[in-house]
Amino acid sequence: MASHLVGSFQLMKSLNRSLILNIIRSTGGISRAEIAKKTKLTPPTVTNIASELLNDGLVVEGQQGPSSGGRKPIILRINSRNFFVAGIDVGVSKIRFALTDLEAQIVLQNTIPIDDSMTEEDFVQIIIREILRLVETAAIPKDKLIGIGIGMHGIVNSSKGVALFAPNLNLKNIPLKERLEEELLVPVRVENDARAMALGESWFGNGVGAEDLICINVGYGIGAGILMNNELFRGRHGLAGEIGHTVADLNGTKCTCGNYGCLQTVAGHDGLKRAAMREISFGRKTLITDLINGDENKISGELLHKAALQGDELAIEIFRDAGRYIGTAVTNLIHIMNPSKIIIGGGISKAGPFLLDPIREVVKQRALDEEAKETVIVQSGLGDEAALIGAATLVLAEMFAVQYQNQKEIL
Ligand SMILES: [Zn+2]
């Protein structure tokens, strides 16, 4: 194992280092004296650790901020562009790759189309090739890449880093962590995509400050990432949050999972498309017909949103129906997990109020008590990049999170 690579990650993980690093990160810049005050560490301890962090290139000094006359205090900031993390979002039809800095800002990204003819081995090779290419294109030394996070649709064993089942790609039991660490010599973290998204939102998006958070990814599939007491909730074998495969219509259409009437068959991408095509085949007048120009494959969340924005009744109705189904699932989730906040992300969530308003209405109507009815429901703060940033956050959260100290081996 390339110990210097593991080392760059490891060196951030002693108890007080992480504590201080995270305070520097979350404040955006802070003086040594303020750190000592906030952490209750002694000033000499803070000075020592700050020197180490400066030497390691993790923080930099600057002069800024309020000064009450006299000398301006020296501020410590994260040296965010000195180390990088790779985030990978494995979707149904494409894999997205990004290089982010230590503040989850995307430096470079790339997208590779895939289809279900891809084998498990092809999949591993694509990831290796693209990560190497990304590092090369960004012209960063390889030892500046401190970790890789992968958000993967389907069922994942995150502790072993194995993609157990990706139904839409028909891939099974890929030991991603083992294979990629062997080839690329950096720590690899693998998580279900909705869970990675929830973590990303809680660190860098609209979930900052919410300890009990559920993030729902609405795209081709529908999945929920559940964060309780700031910890991801995975269930016994990683199935928790698979709300897309909870039943919404007992007599419904067949789902990719083999069951009938799953939530994603009525409120996921294909459900929306089916609803539009059904109405068009009944002769309904709609702008969608003009927009697709005879090609039903053009029906997408984005196209429906475009029609809805122009006042198309059918498009608005399709989002409203999907929103009601999702709203019912959200109400169920509120009654099961009682989160303080729900974040709606994924491609279809870009329809904004067309989808979110009906979700909120259902929750207002059906949640059990006043507080539950008032559960905050917002759109993703990270938008199109939520899954990518979420994947990178799998590594970043571990690096900055104090609670991980001495509890987890890195490799
Ligand atoms: Zn299903």
Side-chain angles (χ1 to χ4, degrees):
M1 187 55 61
S3 58
H4 66 288
L5 295 186
V6 179
S8 356
F9 193 75
Q10 202 93 54
L11 63 81
M12 302 163 195
K13 290 181 61 69
S14 82
L15 179 65
N16 291 338
R17 270 174 174 270
S18 262
L19 182 63
I20 291 178
L21 253 186
N22 200 33
I23 283 176
I24 297 173
R25 181 197 71 85
S26 58
T27 53
I30 184 169
S31 70
R32 289 171 175 80
E34 283 296 313
I35 295 173
K37 221 186 273 177
K38 276 182 187 276
T39 58
K40 301 198 168 57
L41 293 170
T42 65
T45 305
V46 173
T47 302
N48 283 340
I49 293 175
S51 304
E52 283 175 30
L53 294 172
L54 280 162
N55 283 336
D56 294 335
L58 282 166
V59 301
V60 281
E61 283 183 330
Q63 274 189 341
Q64 203 211 5
S67 171
S68 47
R71 214 155 54 98
K72 281 188 179 176
I74 292 172
I75 300 293
L76 295 171
R77 269 196 222 91
I78 296 291
N79 192 4
S80 59
R81 296 263 157 132
N82 199 26
F83 291 99
F84 299 87
V85 169
I88 305 176
D89 164 29
V90 183
V92 173
S93 59
K94 60 190 177 190
I95 310 177
R96 295 177 69 195
F97 297 83
L99 214 53
T100 80
D101 65 15
L102 296 185
E103 290 174 295
Q105 295 290 320
I106 293 177
V107 178
L108 193 66
Q109 59 172 304
N110 192 22
T111 302
I112 300 293
I114 48 169
D115 59 47
D116 55 11
S117 67
M118 182 177 67
T119 66
E120 280 84 357
E121 188 54 30
D122 294 339
F123 179 60
V124 171
Q125 291 305 327
I126 289 172
I127 293 181
I128 294 169
R129 189 190 69 212
E130 289 307 315
I131 290 292
L132 291 174
R133 188 179 292 174
L134 213 57
V135 169
E136 198 185 310
T137 313
I140 59 164
K142 263 173 98 179
D143 62 354
K144 297 283 184 184
L145 179 71
I146 58 160
I148 299 172
I150 304 176
M152 174 95 199
H153 76 269
I155 303 167
V156 163
N157 178 329
S158 60
S159 61
K160 291 189 175 143
V162 178
L164 292 174
F165 182 40
N168 296 304
L169 292 172
N170 204 23
L171 298 181
K172 280 183 187 158
N173 301 321
I174 316 169
L176 279 174
K177 178 180 159 69
E178 190 188 314
R179 288 295 313 279
L180 297 176
E181 285 183 349
E182 207 173 85
E183 298 273 350
L184 296 167
L185 307 172
V186 284
V188 174
R189 296 289 173 267
V190 186
E191 188 53 271
N192 164 273
D193 56 356
R195 250 172 252 146
M197 208 182 254
L199 198 67
E201 290 287 342
S202 83
W203 277 76
F204 302 106
N206 276 343
V208 173
E211 289 187 4
D212 303 302
L213 169 80
I214 297 181
C215 182
I216 301 178
N217 184 13
V218 189
Y220 279 87
I222 300 179
I226 303 167
L227 205 84
M228 288 286 132
N229 299 319
N230 275 328
E231 293 274 348
L232 285 174
F233 178 73
R234 300 181 175 89
R236 178 72 186 85
H237 60 277
L239 203 71
E242 286 289 345
I243 58 161
H245 300 288
T246 54
V247 180
D249 178 1
L250 278 174
N251 304 308
T253 315
K254 194 169 185 181
C255 178
T256 50
C257 72
N259 292 323
Y260 291 84
C262 292
L263 176 66
Q264 65 187 47
T265 66
V266 288
H269 174 275
D270 289 350
L272 270 58
K273 184 175 164 185
R274 233 182 338 263
M277 278 156 48
R278 188 182 53 233
E279 290 301 310
I280 289 169
S281 75
F282 291 162
R284 177 111 175 237
K285 289 274 168 286
T286 163
L287 200 59
I288 302 168
T289 317
D290 305 335
L291 290 171
I292 63 172
N293 198 18
D295 182 2
E296 62 190 39
N297 287 323
K298 284 190 183 159
I299 300 178
S300 64
E302 202 180 336
L303 183 134
L304 293 173
H305 185 210
K306 205 169 154 188
L309 282 173
Q310 291 179 56
D312 184 72
E313 274 183 25
L314 177 58
I316 293 170
E317 195 180 294
I318 288 171
F319 283 124
R320 192 181 57 220
D321 290 347
R324 282 179 180 163
Y325 278 117
I326 296 169
T328 307
V330 166
T331 310
N332 293 341
L333 274 176
I334 291 172
H335 291 161
I336 297 166
M337 304 304 293
N338 195 13
S340 60
K341 191 179 237 183
I342 305 259
I343 296 179
I344 312 287
I348 291 168
S349 72
K350 284 193 278 181
F354 293 113
L355 187 77
L356 265 75
D357 286 351
I359 295 177
R360 293 183 181 117
E361 272 162 34
V362 172
V363 170
K364 279 240 173 343
Q365 281 162 8
R366 301 198 174 196
L368 270 181
D369 59 16
E370 281 311 311
E371 282 179 310
K373 286 178 197 296
E374 295 303 322
T375 306
V376 178
I377 300 171
V378 294
Q379 202 170 350
S380 159
L382 302 173
D384 279 345
E385 325 297 356
L388 268 181
I389 291 174
T393 309
L394 296 171
V395 176
L396 294 172
E398 203 172 305
M399 183 178 118
F400 287 113
V402 176
Q403 66 263 33
Y404 279 95
Q405 293 313 314
N406 306 325
Q407 290 176 16
K408 281 195 171 183
E409 287 299 316
I410 295 302
L411 282 171

